[in-house]
Amino acid sequence: MPWPCPDPDRPGEAKLYLKRFATPDSRAHLAAAPYLPPGEQPDDSYPLVLVTGRRWAHYNSGSMTRRGGNLALDPVDFLDLHPDDAARYEVRGGEQVTVESRHGRARLIARVIEQTAPGQVFCSFHFPANGVNRLTSDHADTVTSCPEYKVTAVRVAPP
């Protein structure tokens, strides 16, 4: 059944705003939000920016039970870091590292790759046992209250 369905007797509409928007003048009203800097910035104590996200094999899967076959496709999480940062912090690919923020600590396996920007590290949030979610801050968007998972200042060290 197409959405939206205003009531059970109407089948709904294939497109929501085909002729007019739900505003007094029938027009869409768009506004750019002012830029706000991230809730925290890297500094001498926490010089890297952690970005968390999804890995290809776990995208939209395993969010409830983690009993699907996707875990076998990509069974280990890594901390991706640029070769320049790996050299700077004496981290070798394949070794376990501690990632620490002002909010918590996690242990991951380092993966040194060119695709990660210098000054940033990346890991997923698909592996609860790694403790990555303990690293992120409680900062949130001022309008939507969406948590700021993408910008957390961290440091990396051997375990």
Side-chain angles (χ1 to χ4, degrees), residues 80-98:
D80 295 342
L81 67 160
H82 191 272
D84 294 346
D85 293 323
R88 182 176 298 110
Y89 301 109
E90 300 177 358
V91 171
R92 288 183 184 63
E95 74 179 6
Q96 192 172 60
V97 293
T98 298

Side-chain angles (χ1 to χ4, degrees), residues 87-141:
R88 182 176 298 110
Y89 301 109
E90 300 177 358
V91 171
R92 288 183 184 63
E95 74 179 6
Q96 192 172 60
V97 293
T98 298
V99 185
E100 189 174 4
S101 73
R102 293 174 182 91
H103 318 284
R105 172 182 295 177
R107 286 189 147 172
L108 295 158
I109 308 245
R111 181 165 60 181
V112 180
I113 61 171
E114 293 276 343
Q115 290 84 351
T116 303
Q120 292 184 359
V121 293
F122 175 87
C123 65
S124 75
F125 44 73
H126 300 298
F127 298 86
N130 291 344
V132 169
N133 288 334
R134 289 191 298 264
L135 296 172
T136 59
S137 75
D138 60 356
H139 295 285
D141 181 89

Side-chain angles (χ1 to χ4, degrees), residues 50-80:
L50 170 68
V51 177
T52 62
R54 299 179 185 277
R55 299 279 186 194
W56 71 273
H58 304 279
Y59 192 82
N60 287 342
S61 66
S63 63
M64 300 297 277
T65 65
R66 301 208 30 95
R67 288 185 288 205
N70 293 53
L71 192 56
L73 296 172
D74 197 9
V76 177
D77 194 16
F78 294 96
L79 179 74
D80 295 342

